[in-house]
Amino acid sequence: MADCKDIMVYVETAEGNPVKVALEMLSPAKELADAKGGKVIAVVIGNNIHDAAQKIAQAGADQVLMIDAPEYEKYNMDVYADVLANLMKEISPEVLFIGGTQDGKDLAPILSSKFEAGCASDVMNIKIDDTGKIVFTCPLYGGTILEDIEITSFPKIAVLRSGAFPKLEDSTTGEIIEKQVSISNDCIHANIVETVKEIAESVNLEEAEVIVSGGRGMGNKDDFKMVEDLSNLLGGVVGATRPAIEEGWISKIHQVGQSGKIVAPKLYIACGISGATQHISGIMNSDYIVAINKDEDAPIFEVANVGIVGDVKKVLPIMIEEIKKIKEAQ
Amino acid sequence: MNILVCIKQVPDDSVEVHLNAEGKPDLKNITPVVNAFDTYALEMAARLKESSEGEITVVCMGDASAKNSLKNCLAVGADYAFLINDAAFEDSDTRGITHVLKNAAKKIEADTDKKFDLIFCGKEATDAALGQVGPMLAEELGVGVITNLIDIQLDTDKVTAKQETEEGYRTVESKIPCVVTVSKPEYDPRYPTIKNKMAARKKPIGNITMSDMTNIKAEKVGKENTLVNAIKLYEPPKKEAGVKIQEETDEDSALKAVAMMAEAKVF
Ligand SMILES: Cc1cc2nc3c(=O)[nH]c(=O)nc-3n(C[C@H](O)[C@H](O)[C@H](O)COP(=O)(O)OP(=O)(O)OC[C@H]3O[C@@H](n4cnc5c(N)ncnc54)[C@H](O)[C@@H]3O)c2cc1C
């Protein structure tokens, strides 16, 4: 068993498409599989998921196991965990990758417990050291400290952070294998009876090239609109700190940071944001950071390319006007 | 309703943790507190208890200093508290931790002759943020788990929970007993009144060690038996601070900044 070198990748889908991190995971999976001489085996579970399976097959998986049946139409953690456990027993992969989505973060520890498999969470980087050992990099203390860890069990489970790995550029096409997995009904403890979407807009912070974020320093909901205005002007996406969300100025889907989205835009503008670790650790991959804060000692300035010490409510309207002028002149 | 709440003591998360000269996290001057998400879990449990009836037991795996955290829990809704402490448990990984928690829960159940209906955990700890303990504990116990709760409702044989999602929420039902993990609900945890604080100080804190738990497997706990090992700790490369602009007026500062951004061609 321990000589099985395959890397299994669980592909979560949303509205029939593989989620972004699923595609991203294929690149470290391929790297590991190549180094170990194994295969990348992706698993897609759902109903009518042939398109998703096709996309994964074309995105670098050697094999795509498609578990396609009406009973998998709706996500159920217990059922999906059972399906994955069955496949793991059959394939016996060395490593299972799971994307760091909300549901992925639940499935991983369940499987970890089922297999007594060591589990790495929020993996930001993966390397193989000189001795062939797989080394996972994970954040501690909100990202102020990084930890390299090894997993000694077989199999190993790793939950990969969304946005941390680039998608494979050019890839081969793998084969799709349809599979039936029978699960027992007594594995079901809990059921989702209703799913409510409170947010109609789609917010794609992770792929945004420009993000304008507002923090508690924006003061109130009305003034927070200036953040949205600047973002609109720059064709960007609006971000926010946790306090701005707790104040109700904007919905949670806009949260940037450790417990929100990890972002990597070309331009990040932080308005009235102090620069707490939990926020900063989510913006470190930004190319160019502009910060506006009235406190000249605010930690955000330590990571800003350009820091403006001043009242954000005075600075933002002028920036907006000035950038408008420049844009019009272009 | 018999409720167990699992808490962890962590360094105050409003303070940045860095490495000291020995390359270890420098926690010397950081106050230990109850993990924020565990305080939300305890508050949710306390509200549930108040809306029906029942008792709350809190357990914490940690060293003797964690007694203070347990006292704080006794002042904000918990009825009983146990410290799970044994040199053999030090540096356990999550497999070890959940194995110990399960056995501690079983021991308390046996001693009190009462089963736990609900086990509350925070959705993750603010130090390592793994978010593994809740689901793993449920799997170990062979019961269901609902994660990221922002609200909970109780019926005779099931719980109905509001699970926070990115776009809104899900309503999830689970049979009882089950494990739930708690995110930040709309309310804040209560502050202890002076009276409750005084009362909490007088309450005993039970101690659970390795030898108290009959079914514990020594080969799953402690530093020697981890499945996940740290190789090294380091700080992420620092981004270099750029320029700080502070002109006479905010207007001048803004104009200067825009000029620099234009020059850097970032928009
Ligand atoms: C477990 C955990 C997870 C967390 N996850 C996240 C996360 O994902 N994302 C996140 O953002 N936070 C997160 N936090 C919260 C985080 O610790 C900070 O509390 C938060 O980032 C601070 O937000 P802020 O900068 O908006 O507010 P504050 O820290 O209050 O800063 C407000 C800033 O605005 C400035 N200001 C005020 N008025 C003006 C003005 N008129 N003009 C200019 N400047 C002004 C002030 O000088 C101050 O620096 C988390 C915390 C914990 C414990």
Side-chain angles (χ1 to χ4, degrees):
Chain A
M1 183 167 94
D3 56 354
C4 182
K5 307 287 188 212
D6 294 338
I7 313 294
M8 182 166 148
V9 179
Y10 167 57
V11 175
E12 182 179 330
T13 59
E15 273 131 34
N17 281 306
V19 297
K20 180 173 160 273
V21 63
L23 295 165
E24 292 166 356
M25 286 192 292
L26 293 172
S27 79
K30 184 106 196 113
E31 226 166 280
L32 282 193
D34 284 349
K36 300 241 158 200
K39 294 190 294 294
V40 176
I41 304 177
V43 176
V44 199
I45 309 170
N47 189 26
N48 294 324
I49 44 164
H50 200 270
D51 286 354
Q54 195 72 46
K55 281 185 188 134
I56 290 295
Q58 284 162 359
D62 297 311
Q63 273 179 11
V64 182
L65 306 185
M66 187 171 76
I67 321 300
D68 195 1
E71 64 257 42
Y72 304 123
E73 166 94 38
K74 279 202 186 130
Y75 173 75
N76 177 296
M77 187 191 71
D78 299 318
V79 171
Y80 276 46
D82 215 47
V83 171
L84 286 169
N86 276 314
L87 291 172
M88 279 175 80
K89 275 184 210 140
E90 191 180 317
I91 297 164
S92 180
E94 171 161 10
V95 191
L96 168 68
F97 281 174
I98 296 183
T101 61
Q102 183 171 345
D103 290 334
K105 288 179 190 170
D106 288 348
L107 288 169
I110 297 278
L111 290 163
S112 162
S113 196
K114 282 189 202 288
F115 289 86
E116 298 240 333
C119 179
S121 288
D122 205 9
V123 173
M124 307 158 61
N125 197 11
I126 301 173
K127 351 178 237 294
I128 297 185
D129 76 2
D130 306 339
T131 63
K133 198 156 67 192
I134 307 172
V135 179
F136 302 92
T137 304
C138 308
L140 282 179
Y141 301 107
T144 47
I145 296 176
L146 302 182
E147 184 178 38
D148 278 356
I149 60 171
E150 62 164 327
I151 301 175
T152 54
S153 60
F154 186 102
K156 314 174 201 312
I157 298 177
V159 181
L160 273 55
R161 174 187 277 195
S162 183
F165 299 88
K167 289 178 193 169
L168 278 176
E169 286 294 327
D170 47 0
S171 44
T172 49
T173 301
E175 57 172 335
I176 298 175
I177 302 167
E178 215 168 323
K179 263 191 115 60
Q180 249 99 44
V181 177
S182 62
I183 50 136
S184 61
N185 262 336
D186 47 290
C187 77
I188 302 175
H189 302 287
N191 272 306
I192 300 171
V193 291
E194 189 191 15
T195 300
V196 177
K197 281 201 176 176
E198 289 174 324
I199 299 154
E201 48 182 338
S202 80
V203 177
N204 195 345
L205 282 164
E206 289 167 310
E207 280 165 303
E209 300 217 326
V210 176
I211 294 173
V212 185
S213 283
R216 188 168 6 223
M218 290 310 301
N220 57 60
K221 193 167 183 162
D222 269 349
D223 287 331
F224 195 88
K225 293 236 157 52
M226 285 192 267
V227 171
E228 295 166 14
D229 291 343
L230 180 57
S231 173
N232 284 340
L233 178 62
L234 295 171
V237 177
V238 178
T241 63
R242 196 169 79 173
I245 288 155
E246 284 173 0
E247 291 290 344
W249 300 339
I250 191 152
S251 63
K252 188 171 159 58
I253 200 165
H254 293 270
Q255 184 169 324
V256 172
Q258 193 65 29
S259 48
K261 286 290 174 337
I262 310 290
V263 300
K266 296 207 165 84
L267 172 63
Y268 189 88
I269 306 182
C271 310
I273 292 176
S274 61
T277 323
Q278 287 97 351
H279 188 78
I280 300 267
S281 61
I283 66 170
M284 285 310 282
N285 294 331
S286 308
D287 289 339
Y288 196 90
I289 298 175
V290 178
I292 310 162
N293 197 304
K294 66 176 180 190
D295 171 11
E296 63 175 304
D297 295 323
I300 189 79
F301 289 133
E302 288 164 28
V303 299
N305 299 71
V306 174
I308 306 162
V309 184
D311 184 348
V312 69
K313 295 177 191 182
K314 297 203 179 109
V315 171
L316 272 181
I318 299 163
M319 279 182 85
I320 291 171
E321 279 319 303
E322 193 63 15
I323 292 173
K324 250 185 211 158
K325 275 189 219 157
I326 294 174
K327 290 221 158 211
E328 274 159 17
Q330 273 169 1
Chain B
M1 177 73 5
N2 193 22
I3 301 175
L4 179 68
V5 182
C6 304
I7 66 151
K8 181 181 183 186
Q9 183 169 281
V10 296
D12 180 352
D13 60 57
S14 63
V15 183
E16 285 208 5
V17 180
H18 291 281
L19 294 175
N20 61 19
E22 286 90 61
K24 298 256 160 59
D26 187 0
L27 306 176
K28 217 171 45 229
N29 297 315
I30 308 181
T31 322
V33 296
V34 181
N35 170 41
F37 292 108
D38 301 344
T39 67
Y40 309 150
L42 178 56
E43 178 63 31
M44 192 179 278
R47 285 171 185 235
L48 195 61
K49 177 181 93 170
E50 286 154 7
S51 74
S52 50
E53 56 183 310
E55 283 179 332
I56 297 176
T57 302
V58 193
V59 292
C60 177
M61 239 183 113
D63 59 24
S65 77
K67 277 195 175 162
N68 213 12
S69 286
L70 286 167
K71 289 267 176 201
N72 292 340
C73 295
L74 288 170
V76 289
D79 302 291
Y80 309 102
F82 291 89
L83 179 70
I84 311 169
N85 178 15
D86 198 307
F89 301 153
E90 263 172 49
D91 296 318
S92 293
D93 61 7
T94 42
R95 173 183 69 152
I97 292 166
T98 45
H99 183 64
V100 171
L101 287 175
K102 170 182 127 178
N103 282 287
K106 295 272 178 222
K107 176 190 159 47
I108 299 169
E109 285 182 338
D111 289 353
T112 55
D113 200 19
K114 248 191 328 200
K115 296 253 177 233
F116 289 114
D117 303 301
L118 279 174
I119 299 180
F120 277 77
C121 302
K123 73 159 186 168
E124 63 189 29
T126 54
D127 53 357
L130 302 180
Q132 295 178 354
V133 167
M136 284 178 80
L137 184 57
E139 184 63 29
E140 280 275 305
L141 289 163
V143 302
V145 58
I146 314 176
T147 58
N148 295 294
L149 258 62
I150 44 175
D151 200 7
I152 190 165
Q153 247 185 331
L154 202 64
D155 296 316
T156 39
D157 58 347
K158 65 165 201 236
V159 285
T160 306
K162 204 166 166 182
Q163 175 181 59
E164 180 178 54
T165 62
E166 264 188 11
E167 297 101 11
Y169 65 90
R170 288 172 182 160
T171 308
V172 188
E173 285 178 359
S174 174
K175 289 176 243 174
I176 290 176
C178 71
V179 175
V180 296
T181 81
V182 179
S183 183
K184 173 76 179 66
E186 270 171 28
Y187 45 79
D188 287 311
R190 68 196 63 185
Y191 285 101
T193 60
I194 303 275
K195 192 170 141 249
N196 287 346
K197 249 187 172 153
M198 300 289 281
R201 226 171 276 163
K202 292 201 194 90
K203 281 192 195 163
I205 289 178
N207 212 44
I208 300 179
T209 62
M210 182 95 164
S211 57
D212 296 321
M213 296 181 274
T214 32
N215 290 321
I216 204 150
K217 296 203 177 86
E219 69 274 17
K220 287 195 183 190
V221 301
K223 196 182 174 61
E224 303 305 306
N225 298 308
T226 54
L227 303 174
V228 177
N229 297 330
I231 300 173
K232 77 173 183 201
L233 293 177
Y234 50 101
E235 296 205 5
K238 285 241 167 355
K239 233 183 142 80
E240 286 209 17
V243 285
K244 219 187 270 183
I245 304 171
Q246 190 166 20
E247 302 294 304
E248 287 279 303
T249 65
D250 284 343
E251 172 158 16
D252 289 347
S253 300
L255 292 177
K256 189 166 171 187
V258 173
M260 291 182 70
M261 287 161 68
E263 195 172 336
K265 295 196 166 59
V266 292
F267 61 79

